[in-house]
Amino acid sequence: MSNEAIQEGVPSDYFAVFSSQNSNFRYTYNKIREVKSYRVGELFAAYRDILWDDGRHKYNVSSFIGEIDEILLGERFSTFDQNTLDSLIGTLRQRGNSNATINRKMAALSKLLRKAHKMGDIHSLPEFRRQKERAGRIRFLERDEEARLFAAIRNRSEDAYRLSVFLVDTGCRLGEALGLIWNDIQEHRVSFWITKSGRSRTIPMTERVKEVIKLPPNTEGRRPKGPFTKLTQAQYRAIWNEAKTEVGLGADEQVVPHILRHTCASRLVQGGIDIRRVQMWLGHQTLSVTMRYAHLATNDLDGCVVVLEKPRGDEASPRSAGNSVFASPLTAPTPATSSRKARGPKPVKASRKRSKGE
């Protein structure tokens, strides 16, 4: 049997059947699979429509994978080893990428490589370790900043102004708002079905939101599919950037449309809404994400100031301890108990023996 026949898995008369007086053996051969190598960009082209839905996130992932392919110089591989991954992360850090940005890019690469490995395109995977991220300062708009920015937006586009008000009062993401259709709005509530977490949510609307979802009168005749479907993300961001430059916020890199979501969350927490309800309102998948706003809930700490400002003489006073804002209801004496202690123990009545005649 020739080497070519063996490599192609062609059965041969020499090996197909082995006969003896007592047994009959039949051997079969699987076709040998050729080991191929791929570029990261080729794997992304093969699986992008399977792994990612159309939208801005898919656009960002495309940019991430393109940069990774460029760093790897278009190298082909059948295994992706740990050294390659570590070198890639080091290059991204040298380019000024923060740990948070590196994590997002590595999440996209990991998802792609796991799919390729499952399909048999590559034969080993490295260990993806999440980089430690710093808790950055959360920027949100003050009321006067919102008023100036929204006025500048309204001068450019009434639709963009309506969308801005909707975003800051609902706290939804830009893509969630643009994807709304009229059936998602029922009475006093709005439902978001196309979400980042994949979980739908329904929240009540403020009076201001009820007004801005009403379309202004127009003579075009046909009503659009949803309240904000006339705008695209690119159009809205262009109007936003022009307006923020006009009002003196152009140099602030954190003043992006997503700041309206931060502003909504901050106002809810500062207004005394508990973190769990804020999580439900914003649609965060985990509570840890919502906890970024917990430091704004300072109302529960106001009692600390009362304790610290007390005169030193009052600290040892039983009366002040009983009236403390932090006094435990289990240890603080009740008025009835206190008065009884002041009067002393209750006298015990002497028992009177009963006479035989009674």
Side-chain angles (χ1 to χ4, degrees):
M1 186 174 182
S2 66
N3 291 334
E4 291 78 6
I6 295 176
Q7 291 176 356
E8 292 298 327
V10 178
S12 169
D13 294 336
Y14 294 100
F15 300 105
V17 179
F18 172 80
S19 300
S20 69
Q21 293 180 353
N22 300 322
S23 59
N24 184 5
F25 297 95
R26 181 175 298 275
Y27 296 89
T28 59
Y29 298 89
N30 292 325
K31 188 173 182 179
I32 297 175
R33 182 172 180 176
E34 181 184 357
V35 176
K36 296 183 179 180
S37 59
Y38 300 91
R39 294 172 49 184
V40 171
E42 292 174 340
L43 294 175
F44 181 67
Y47 298 119
R48 61 185 176 189
D49 294 332
I50 300 173
L51 297 176
W52 290 279
D53 294 330
D54 290 335
R56 182 169 182 81
H57 180 60
K58 186 176 181 179
Y59 173 81
N60 290 336
V61 169
S62 177
S63 175
F64 296 160
I65 298 299
E67 181 182 9
I68 291 171
D69 197 28
E70 177 258 323
I71 292 174
L72 297 177
L73 302 176
E75 180 183 351
R76 294 179 175 275
F77 56 88
S78 58
T79 62
F80 202 101
D81 57 34
Q82 196 68 43
N83 288 335
T84 302
L85 178 63
D86 293 343
S87 175
L88 175 61
I89 293 175
T91 302
L92 289 173
R93 188 165 283 121
Q94 290 175 1
R95 291 187 173 191
N97 286 217
S98 66
N99 283 354
T101 302
I102 292 174
N103 283 335
R104 288 197 294 272
K105 294 178 179 180
M106 291 302 101
L109 178 62
S110 173
K111 187 174 182 178
L112 177 62
L113 293 183
R114 281 187 283 111
K115 177 63 175 178
H117 182 263
K118 185 176 182 180
M119 300 303 294
D121 298 322
I122 59 175
H123 308 290
S124 69
L125 290 175
E127 180 184 359
F128 285 84
R129 300 185 184 93
R130 183 173 178 82
Q131 307 296 311
K132 187 175 181 180
E133 299 181 16
R134 293 183 178 180
R137 177 179 297 170
I138 297 178
R139 174 77 159 90
F140 55 90
L141 294 178
E142 301 291 349
R143 296 283 181 177
D144 63 319
E145 290 179 321
E146 177 191 311
R148 290 186 288 111
L149 180 59
F150 283 14
I153 291 175
R154 193 170 197 174
N155 289 338
R156 289 167 171 78
S157 168
E158 184 68 24
D159 289 332
Y161 165 75
R162 294 189 304 104
L163 176 56
S164 301
V165 172
F166 185 87
L167 292 173
V168 78
D169 274 13
T170 63
C172 72
R173 301 176 181 89
L174 179 56
E176 294 173 347
L178 294 177
L180 283 175
I181 61 175
W182 294 112
N183 284 342
D184 298 333
I185 302 169
Q186 301 293 334
E187 295 183 358
H188 307 297
R189 300 180 183 276
V190 57
S191 298
F192 300 103
W193 300 96
I194 305 173
T195 64
K196 182 179 179 181
S197 64
R199 299 177 181 178
S200 61
R201 70 184 185 280
T202 300
I203 62 172
M205 295 185 290
T206 64
E207 292 300 323
R208 196 163 64 149
V209 167
K210 293 176 187 177
E211 289 298 319
V212 297
I213 61 173
K214 299 176 182 177
L215 292 179
N218 62 76
T219 57
E220 297 178 5
R222 189 172 183 179
R223 189 171 77 157
K225 189 176 181 181
F228 308 113
T229 51
K230 286 185 175 182
L231 286 171
T232 64
Q233 288 203 23
Q235 291 171 338
Y236 180 72
R237 292 179 188 279
I239 295 170
W240 174 279
N241 290 333
E242 291 177 2
K244 84 167 191 174
T245 301
E246 179 186 325
V247 299
L249 297 173
D252 195 333
E253 296 180 354
Q254 291 186 293
V255 181
V256 295
H258 198 73
I259 197 177
L260 300 180
R261 182 169 167 85
H262 291 321
T263 302
C264 178
S266 302
R267 290 174 182 175
L268 289 173
V269 174
Q270 289 175 323
I273 305 300
D274 64 86
I275 291 295
R276 179 66 68 179
R277 285 188 174 88
V278 176
Q279 178 194 8
M280 295 172 61
W281 184 280
L282 296 176
H284 287 153
Q285 194 165 6
T286 61
L287 188 61
S288 60
V289 179
T290 319
M291 287 300 293
R292 295 179 299 172
Y293 307 99
H295 69 283
L296 299 172
T298 57
N299 294 335
D300 292 340
L301 302 179
D302 292 343
C304 298
V305 178
V306 179
V307 172
L308 294 173
E309 289 182 345
K310 283 182 181 179
R312 290 184 177 274
D314 291 348
E315 292 180 2
S317 172
R319 183 177 179 182
S320 62
N323 295 332
S324 169
V325 292
F326 295 109
S328 170
L330 299 179
T331 58
T334 60
T337 305
S338 301
S339 60
R340 179 172 295 175
K341 288 183 179 179
R343 291 194 303 266
K346 185 177 181 180
V348 180
K349 293 183 180 180
S351 60
R352 185 166 56 94
K353 294 184 179 180
R354 297 179 64 183
S355 63
K356 293 182 180 181
E358 291 179 348

